[in-house]
Amino acid sequence: MGVAVGLSGFAFGVTSAGSGLTLPQTCALSLLVFTGASQFALVGALAAGGNPLTAAAGAFFLGVRNAFYGLRLSQVLGLPRAVRPFAAQWVIDETTAVTLAQPTRRSARIGFAVTGLSLYVLWNLTTLIGALGAKAIGDTEAWGLDAAGPAVFLALLAPMLKTATERVVAALAVLLELGLLPVLPSGVPVLVAALAAPAVLCLQGRRGGASRNNPQEEAR
């Protein structure tokens, strides 16, 4: 887990610096946002010349899942109200997985705190190293380092696609993104690609309803 986060943080630092963001801007994104997919989406859209508002919208939609994580973790952790705004900064995939795997509230709080603090420090440290490294070598496109972020993100995403539905959603999102990339402004295709999930789920629900209404087809 730590190695993956460290590599992702380094890749983000390189990608962000290569997209034209300054060192303070790159570090501020990791300090204040701290959700890798959203950060990669933002700097990727900006690097392609996208509108800042469109880029921010794409990053926002990718980060919405953390809000649902927070709803679940608030019940498990039961933190005081004064602490919750600070704890929300550490609500990510990894802290959620560790927290929900604990048998008691006390161990859940410890797991959340230790995982959140260690990954937050690691992410920001590797972001700084990546940004400094990108500045030192100059043009990241000449070295092909602009592809580091997407490559790491895909490597982390692929093992998580365990069901057929998840794989179909991912494939449809990729097709929408690549198909619309040449015809829509930068940052907009990722927003359209986000429609892949509700489209697949809607189609799946209709097929399930049709099967229930047709006993012969269900029997086959």
Side-chain angles (χ1 to χ4, degrees):
M1 182 189 298
V3 174
V5 171
L7 290 174
S8 298
F10 179 82
F12 171 72
V14 171
T15 304
S16 182
S19 69
L21 270 67
T22 65
L23 179 62
Q25 288 172 333
T26 297
C27 292
L29 272 175
S30 282
L31 286 167
L32 300 177
V33 180
F34 188 49
T35 172
S38 297
Q39 294 178 232
F40 277 117
L42 178 63
V43 298
L46 292 176
N51 184 286
L53 293 179
T54 304
F60 171 79
F61 281 113
L62 282 174
V64 164
R65 71 186 189 284
N66 290 351
F68 295 99
Y69 292 161
L71 292 174
R72 177 63 178 136
L73 292 185
S74 65
Q75 300 173 346
V76 175
L77 297 173
L79 297 173
R81 290 184 179 273
V83 179
R84 291 178 187 177
F86 302 98
Q89 180 70 357
W90 292 350
V91 176
I92 57 175
D93 299 331
E94 292 81 1
T95 54
T96 300
V98 170
T99 301
L100 296 181
Q102 305 308 312
T104 65
R105 172 165 290 180
R106 182 175 181 274
S107 61
R109 288 180 173 180
I110 294 174
F112 177 83
V114 172
T115 306
L117 177 60
S118 59
L119 294 185
Y120 184 74
V121 171
L122 179 62
W123 176 265
N124 282 279
L125 179 60
T126 52
T127 293
L128 175 61
I129 295 173
L132 289 173
K135 293 293 185 183
I137 65 176
D139 185 10
T140 56
E141 292 187 5
W143 294 78
L145 295 179
D146 54 321
V152 172
F153 180 71
L154 288 175
L156 294 174
L157 176 64
M160 300 175 64
L161 304 176
K162 298 179 180 179
T163 67
T165 300
E166 291 170 348
R167 289 190 286 270
V168 170
V169 169
L172 179 58
V174 169
L175 291 176
L176 288 173
E177 172 78 16
L178 295 179
L180 297 175
L181 196 58
V183 297
L184 293 180
S186 180
V188 176
V190 71
L191 299 179
V192 179
L195 299 176
V200 171
L201 292 176
C202 181
L203 180 61
Q204 195 176 51
R206 289 183 177 181
R207 291 182 61 183
S211 297
R212 287 192 294 271
N213 294 329
N214 190 341
Q216 293 181 348
E217 182 176 340
E218 186 176 4
R220 290 199 297 269

